Amino acid sequence: MTGTPAGATIPPGRPARFIGSERYRLRAYAPNHPLAIPRVALARDLIGAYGAITPAEEVPAREATDFELAWFHDRAYVAAIKRAEQLGRVRQAHRAAFALGTLENPYFDHFFSTPATAAGASIQAAEEVLAGRVAFNPAGGMHHARPGRAQGFCYFNDPVLAVLQAAPRGLARALRGHRCAPLRRRGGDLPR
């Protein structure tokens, strides 16, 4: 792998993983939405054009399970997003209760499966890091989502889910000083 603009490089012998999905080539938001650009697909194409990853370093992203999503998110909230995808729209009661289908958090095709795949990829990235590899999920970072409410274009809080995947195996010690606000609101600090 090549260095980043900041000069950081992956140590020799330490394998890297790019966790992605062709799903991100699909249109997700309305044309006037801030996240309407195909940022994940463009990032993958640019990295590939520079020869910065090999096919062996690419890992297909998987969808987070309902069980994994419930590590942080309320089950009723997860079910509402899944139901909206099934119906092809957001119910008015779910719009009010969970801030779904609003201008800030609009409905789109694959309303559950796209953010659940981004969340699953972040959980996979945590697993890769715990196995001693470097991992990158370009669809990750949707940190505004709350346990029972979409916020800031974010439906599932994948960084929290990745931390919760890694925490039981000791990674939380390195993160404890960060004082993760969504976890505090959920009922405490990072697990010890």
Side-chain angles (χ1 to χ4, degrees):
M1 304 233 18
T2 60
T4 65
T9 60
I10 295 173
R14 186 162 185 195
R17 299 289 184 263
F18 180 97
I19 304 168
S21 172
E22 287 301 307
R23 160 178 307 289
Y24 300 115
R25 294 196 182 280
L26 303 173
R27 176 181 215 82
Y29 296 102
N32 64 340
H33 193 280
L35 294 179
I37 62 167
R39 65 184 181 81
V40 176
L42 290 172
R44 166 56 191 94
D45 293 347
L46 182 62
I47 291 167
Y50 277 98
I53 58 173
T54 66
E57 294 171 314
E58 293 191 64
V59 176
R62 67 166 178 82
E63 197 173 284
T65 66
D66 290 359
F67 175 78
E68 290 168 330
L69 294 170
W71 292 345
F72 178 69
H73 293 287
D74 299 335
R75 290 182 192 280
Y77 173 70
V78 173
I81 297 174
K82 188 176 270 191
R83 184 69 176 142
E85 180 171 303
Q86 292 166 348
L87 291 173
R89 63 177 177 79
V90 175
R91 290 180 165 167
Q92 184 57 37
H94 292 161
R95 180 175 285 112
F98 305 119
L100 298 171
T102 64
L103 182 62
E104 181 179 355
N105 309 302
Y107 176 82
F108 55 93
D109 288 339
H110 313 288
F111 191 62
F112 173 83
S113 53
T114 296
T117 300
S122 288
I123 293 168
Q124 284 175 273
E127 293 164 353
E128 293 288 342
V129 169
L130 289 168
R133 293 180 282 274
V134 174
F136 176 51
N137 169 22
M142 299 292 141
H143 62 279
H144 295 287
R146 300 297 176 227
R149 190 169 182 81
Q151 184 173 304
F153 323 126
C154 302
Y155 301 90
F156 296 127
N157 196 319
D158 65 283
V160 167
L161 296 171
V163 167
L164 291 172
Q165 172 67 1
R169 300 197 299 215
L171 188 59
R173 284 191 300 269
L175 300 171
R176 193 168 291 115
H178 183 64
R179 309 291 301 168
C180 185
L183 285 175
R184 281 199 317 275
R185 280 192 286 279
R186 186 66 177 161
D189 203 350
L190 294 171
R192 299 204 181 268

